[in-house]
Amino acid sequence: MKFCQGLRGPLLLGLLCTMNPALAKATLDVKIEPANGALKANIEAFIGSITDRDEEGLRRFRRSAEEQASQAAQALGYYQAEIRSRVKGGKDPVLLVRVVPGEPVRLRNVAVRIEGEASSLGAFRVPQSKALSPGAQLNHGAYEDAKKLIQNQGLRYGFFDGRFTRQRLDIDPRAGVADIELVYDSGPRYSLGGVSFEGETPFDADLLSRLVPFPANTPYDSDEVAKLSQNLQASGYFEEVRVDASPVKGQGRLIPVKVRLTPAKPRTLGLGVGFSTDVGPRARANWTRHWINAQGHRLGAETEVSPVRQSLGTWYEIPLDPPLTDSLRFTSGVQRENLVDVDSRRVTLGGQWQSKLPDDWQRVISLRWEQETFDYGDGSDDGRSSFLIPGISYGVTRSDHKLDPSQGYSLQFDVRGAKEGILSDTDFTYASVMAKGLYTLPGGHRLLGRVQTGGIATTDFEAIPPSLRFFAGGDQSVRGYDYQTLSPEDNNGKKVGGRYLLVGSAEYQYPIAEKWRLAAFVDRGNAMDSLSAAMKTGAGLGVRWMSPVGPIRLDLAKALDDPGGFRIHFSMGPEL
């Protein structure tokens, strides 16, 4: 281009060269008559970007663009489309493409069959989309998707010799009809053989075998192979895991599974800080020895410091079968907790057996001895109790996403007790139930509900320490009231905790931006000594931010049954 040749002076040269037509930006204008958004988008995608072309370049490209538009139309079944184009010149030239689609080709006969062993496998799905039904408009993408779905399933379920014996798409543009025939012969299914581990690891073969989710000679399933890798990584024992489960020529249909392992560092130290309006600023630290022997036993210690609670604990864990979900853990710890009107100091020793039941229920059977000393602020100990407490709890959480679910629920049941004379000061039975639910309506309207109830049966309630009594109020209870300020009072006006707990919450959320939601809520409940006691209500507004580590909540709430202003509640953690 010699547009600037012969000009003199740097300023003049610069000004005139900015008018060079080569710097103009060409645009594409596709119009469908009648309007068809899907066809328009497909044509634009086929033609692609033309911004680097000038007017002359668009004229040379025009015929090619018409051909690409025709291909795009045929891909969606429009084989009789009339396509015209022209170039509109000027500073910013435009390629105008006008399309009259005409009547689309429609499917007449559709036959999709699976033959071989896969035909008797219920999990092997035959594509049955509406786009592949007789009378549906021909869509080449739907045809190719059906083929890919069958092929991907063949690879997933170990039909490595599978092939299409018939894959036919016959189109008669004049008659406006098309016939599809897809016949897939899966052949025999391969199986997963024994798992062999490579690399220097300190673990014995029994522990590693308990991390394998399938027995030898099980039918191949790529999900089982992926689960094996996930189990090994989730164990915390290994820094790197490589699983090879590929067919080997000359070894028949039994696939050897080879795993190469690199051990992780045996010790880790974790530090963290946080804040909530329940406990204020909080610091945590933990030390973990991920294994101390060939059986994978673990050892750890953890501590927490906040204005309300200070604790130090240790634990020793023995993995059972399967080791990721079932374990035996022994614990010890000391804790000091400053409630509203009571200072509690507690020492605990215990053990628990955790196991995963069918349908993802978690069961924990525990036995704990604890001794607690508590003071209601008069300068001397008001009570001291000792209990040997067996207990059992069940819990389950089901949702469509771990961090930010759109629907789901969680249930938690807990029963504990003690018998006077068996290292215990009195008889008691403690029971609590908590249920949470989440449902999202069209448009992003989210509804959350929470119910928590509990009770203590005993003939000597005075001997029950504060840590086993019920309190209400705070971020996860009745908002609008401070942490654990809802409680029965003694003759001196001290909040001493109640026999019963009943709390419910209803919340509505609406998205205002990506990862941001507004919330409105009502909480109602109390901790009490009589089920006929008055309930307390709090209500307010809040904002939710879905951070990379989970939801963060900021609420402004007001107590409706007691005098006082608004209270701010700040917390984070899963909604289920």
Side-chain angles (χ1 to χ4, degrees):
M1 184 68 68
K2 299 181 180 179
F3 187 80
C4 298
Q5 186 175 354
L7 298 177
R8 294 292 183 268
L11 179 61
L12 182 60
L13 177 64
L15 290 174
L16 291 179
C17 283
T18 59
M19 299 174 60
N20 189 332
L23 300 179
K25 291 185 178 181
T27 57
L28 174 66
D29 181 6
V30 177
K31 185 175 182 180
I32 313 296
E33 301 173 355
N36 186 319
L39 179 57
K40 175 181 171 67
N42 209 43
I43 290 175
E44 291 173 342
F46 262 69
I47 294 176
S49 175
I50 61 173
T51 56
D52 59 342
R53 300 177 187 271
D54 58 15
E55 181 178 338
E56 184 59 31
L58 285 184
R59 296 188 187 281
R60 292 193 298 268
F61 177 69
R62 186 170 65 87
R63 297 301 180 191
S64 178
E66 290 180 1
E67 179 61 28
Q68 292 172 347
S70 177
Q71 294 175 10
Q74 291 177 12
L76 297 183
Y78 296 101
Y79 276 77
Q80 303 294 335
E82 297 180 7
I83 301 172
R84 302 184 304 276
S85 68
R86 66 184 181 90
V87 175
K88 180 180 178 182
K91 179 181 177 181
D92 294 317
V94 180
L95 174 60
L96 302 167
V97 179
R98 299 293 180 262
V99 181
V100 178
E103 286 297 317
V105 172
R106 297 192 176 276
L107 298 179
R108 180 175 55 186
N109 300 312
V110 179
V112 182
R113 297 195 307 276
I114 307 297
E115 298 179 346
E117 286 188 21
S119 62
S120 60
L121 181 62
F124 202 108
R125 296 187 298 111
V126 178
Q128 294 180 343
S129 69
K130 293 182 179 180
L132 292 178
S133 301
Q137 183 174 325
L138 172 63
N139 187 314
H140 286 257
Y143 172 73
E144 294 298 328
D145 287 345
K147 291 170 58 178
K148 289 179 181 178
L149 174 62
I150 294 173
Q151 290 172 326
N152 290 341
Q153 289 185 105
L155 294 176
R156 173 187 170 177
Y157 292 114
F159 299 101
F160 296 109
D161 298 328
R163 63 187 182 89
F164 285 103
T165 56
R166 296 280 289 173
Q167 46 180 331
R168 184 172 61 90
L169 173 58
D170 293 335
I171 303 169
D172 186 345
R174 292 182 179 275
V177 296
D179 297 326
I180 289 177
E181 185 180 17
L182 282 175
V183 181
Y184 178 80
D185 184 357
S186 68
R189 187 177 185 183
Y190 284 59
S191 297
L192 292 167
V195 180
S196 61
F197 296 93
E198 302 174 357
E200 296 183 3
T201 69
F203 308 108
D204 63 25
D206 179 66
L207 174 63
L208 296 176
S209 67
R210 283 184 276 140
L211 290 165
V212 179
F214 53 85
N217 302 318
T218 193
Y220 182 95
D221 188 333
S222 62
D223 281 4
E224 293 294 325
V225 178
K227 189 176 180 180
L228 169 61
S229 179
Q230 293 167 2
N231 285 356
L232 293 166
Q233 292 171 343
S235 70
Y237 298 141
F238 308 106
E239 181 178 354
E240 185 177 7
V241 177
R242 295 183 181 180
V243 179
D244 181 8
S246 303
V248 178
K249 290 185 177 180
Q251 295 195 15
R253 294 191 295 273
L254 189 63
I255 302 175
V257 182
K258 299 179 180 180
V259 182
R260 175 164 288 277
L261 302 171
T262 302
K265 295 179 180 180
R267 305 174 189 85
T268 57
L269 177 66
L271 300 172
V273 295
F275 177 86
S276 75
T277 43
D278 276 354
V279 300
R282 177 178 58 195
R284 286 181 173 177
N286 63 76
W287 173 86
T288 304
R289 176 70 189 257
H290 295 286
W291 73 86
I292 61 174
N293 56 27
Q295 290 75 43
H297 294 194
R298 310 173 194 266
L299 177 67
E302 52 198 11
T303 183
E304 176 183 334
V305 178
S306 72
V308 172
R309 184 184 303 115
Q310 305 88 43
S311 65
L312 174 65
T314 62
W315 54 267
Y316 185 94
E317 184 175 278
I318 301 173
L320 301 177
D321 188 16
L324 292 183
T325 58
D326 292 24
S327 64
L328 187 62
R329 174 176 282 212
F330 302 95
T331 61
S332 65
V334 294
Q335 177 177 292
R336 178 172 181 174
E337 190 168 16
N338 307 100
L339 303 178
V340 176
D341 290 326
V342 61
D343 182 11
S344 168
R345 299 174 299 281
R346 185 159 43 121
V347 178
T348 62
L349 293 171
Q352 64 179 41
W353 171 30
Q354 177 173 308
S355 56
K356 186 176 182 180
L357 305 179
D359 296 326
D360 295 326
W361 281 87
Q362 293 284 343
R363 181 186 64 192
V364 178
I365 299 175
S366 61
L367 180 64
R368 184 178 77 249
W369 175 83
E370 66 176 42
Q371 185 177 86
E372 184 169 355
T373 303
F374 43 98
D375 172 20
Y376 284 99
D378 55 6
S380 62
D381 293 342
D382 290 293
R384 179 171 180 164
S385 62
S386 296
F387 291 98
L388 181 65
I389 307 173
I392 186 169
S393 67
Y394 292 88
V396 65
T397 298
R398 295 194 178 98
S399 65
D400 54 4
H401 194 278
K402 288 186 177 180
L403 286 182
D404 188 21
S406 61
Q407 60 182 2
Y409 64 89
S410 66
L411 301 171
Q412 185 72 36
F413 304 92
D414 185 14
V415 178
R416 302 174 235 165
K419 178 64 176 176
E420 183 178 3
I422 306 179
L423 298 180
S424 301
D425 293 340
T426 190
D427 298 340
F428 79 85
T429 301
Y430 171 106
S432 69
V433 178
M434 183 168 66
K436 296 180 181 180
L438 167 64
Y439 188 75
T440 301
L441 299 170
H445 303 270
R446 293 162 59 91
L447 302 176
L448 289 88
R450 169 173 51 88
V451 176
Q452 184 177 5
T453 184
I456 300 171
T458 180
T459 57
D460 186 7
F461 188 70
E462 295 298 323
I464 304 300
S467 64
L468 291 173
R469 299 184 184 188
F470 292 106
F471 295 82
D475 304 339
Q476 307 298 321
S477 183
V478 182
R479 287 163 287 187
Y481 295 86
D482 282 340
Y483 180 55
Q484 297 194 338
T485 56
L486 295 180
S487 160
E489 298 179 353
D490 64 10
N491 295 331
N492 297 318
K494 302 292 186 180
K495 298 182 184 298
V496 295
R499 287 175 176 263
Y500 307 107
L501 175 72
L502 181 59
V503 173
S505 174
E507 180 170 313
Y508 164 76
Q509 295 179 2
Y510 182 75
I512 54 174
E514 185 178 5
K515 298 186 180 302
W516 288 89
R517 304 184 184 104
L518 289 180
F521 57 86
V522 176
D523 300 338
R524 184 171 175 82
N526 206 347
M528 51 215 164
D529 286 333
S530 170
L531 294 176
S532 61
M535 296 289 104
K536 303 291 185 178
T537 303
L541 301 174
V543 62
R544 308 287 181 261
W545 175 50
M546 178 47 59
S547 76
V549 296
I552 294 177
R553 296 177 286 272
L554 179 64
D555 293 322
L556 183 65
K558 180 175 176 54
L560 302 184
D561 296 304
D562 289 335
F566 287 90
R567 287 179 173 83
I568 294 176
H569 295 273
F570 176 83
S571 61
M572 63 182 298
E575 292 181 320
L576 293 178

